[in-house]
Amino acid sequence: MRRNSLCGVLLCGAVAAGAQAQVRLDSQIANLADDLVVANRILYSQGVVDGFGHVSARSPVDPGHFFMARSVAPSGVTQSDIMEFDADGKALAGDTRLPYAERFIHSEIYRARPDVMAVVHAHSPAVIGFGITGVPLRPVYHMSGFLGRTTPVFEIRDAVPAAPETDLLVKNPALGAKLAERLGRNAVVLMRGHGFTAVASSVPVAVFRAVYTDQNARIQSEALKLGTPRYLSEEEAALTQRTMEGLSVRSWEMWKKQAGLPP
Ligand SMILES: [Zn+2]
């Protein structure tokens, strides 16, 4: 009653609706932060990341922003480590914690690809050979149809021809933009002498793609020793992608358990 004396019913209704909407958004962000914690633990548990590597998610509130952990090893990420960044990769709200140096991989991919909601960057050993030999990484089985016909390789020397000697890290927006350009419309881009970056429309699917990029690389390397692999056709790749990614929640739940996390 006291509230009604302070504001009209319509206004109070609007305030209440606004508060409810805020609670919904806060809960969406909390769920996303939880997904990022789970993603970090899974990627570590599955051997895709080690002390390095990171995963991010686009903000459901401000599509120009994204969330990712501060600069810590993925195996120990908790909700309190999650930071919010703007479209230029700058930390928000005066957050002075140390961010990952390669956050520009994420910021520039989100800028270039409005369809991308999550990004994984990793250095898993199995994929490195495909970035340094000219042997293309191609889908060899039904779990990796998202690789499509082939996987592009980002050559950092081409991105900075005037000063091609670098530490190979994507440490500024200009390099991030070049990487995003090389990624194009693909799901995965390899990075010569460095690793790979996978993108998707959700955190669980980005993790799915990262894990199966690694597994595809292992299987393809073994197959190449045996003979000439028969790769998935483009049509097979598209069809298997649709089927298997539709079931990706099964892997997510299993990997979560394997990582020692509660259901
Ligand atoms: Zn890296």
Side-chain angles (χ1 to χ4, degrees), residues 102 121 123 194:
E102 292 196 290
H121 170 64
H123 311 141
H194 181 171

Side-chain angles (χ1 to χ4, degrees), residues 93-115:
D95 194 335
T96 55
R97 292 176 294 173
L98 183 68
Y100 290 119
E102 292 196 290
R103 61 194 176 281
F104 305 105
I105 291 172
H106 304 256
S107 60
E108 294 303 320
I109 286 175
Y110 288 126
R111 194 193 305 280
R113 289 277 302 271
D115 60 308

Side-chain angles (χ1 to χ4, degrees), residues 2-52:
R2 187 158 181 272
R3 281 181 78 185
N4 281 345
S5 67
L6 293 173
C7 62
V9 173
L10 279 178
L11 178 59
C12 282
V15 169
Q20 275 179 355
Q22 186 58 47
V23 167
R24 271 201 304 276
L25 288 176
D26 288 348
S27 121
Q28 265 183 286
I29 290 171
N31 288 342
L32 200 60
D34 192 45
D35 276 356
L36 285 175
V37 170
V38 173
N40 273 282
R41 304 299 187 87
I42 287 176
L43 290 166
Y44 174 69
S45 165
Q46 294 302 309
V48 178
V49 298
D50 49 18
F52 299 89

Side-chain angles (χ1 to χ4, degrees), residues 52-54 102 105 121-123 168-170 191 194-197:
F52 299 89
H54 22 86
E102 292 196 290
I105 291 172
H121 170 64
H123 311 141
L168 303 187
L169 301 186
V170 177
M191 300 154 80
H194 181 171
F196 74 96
T197 297

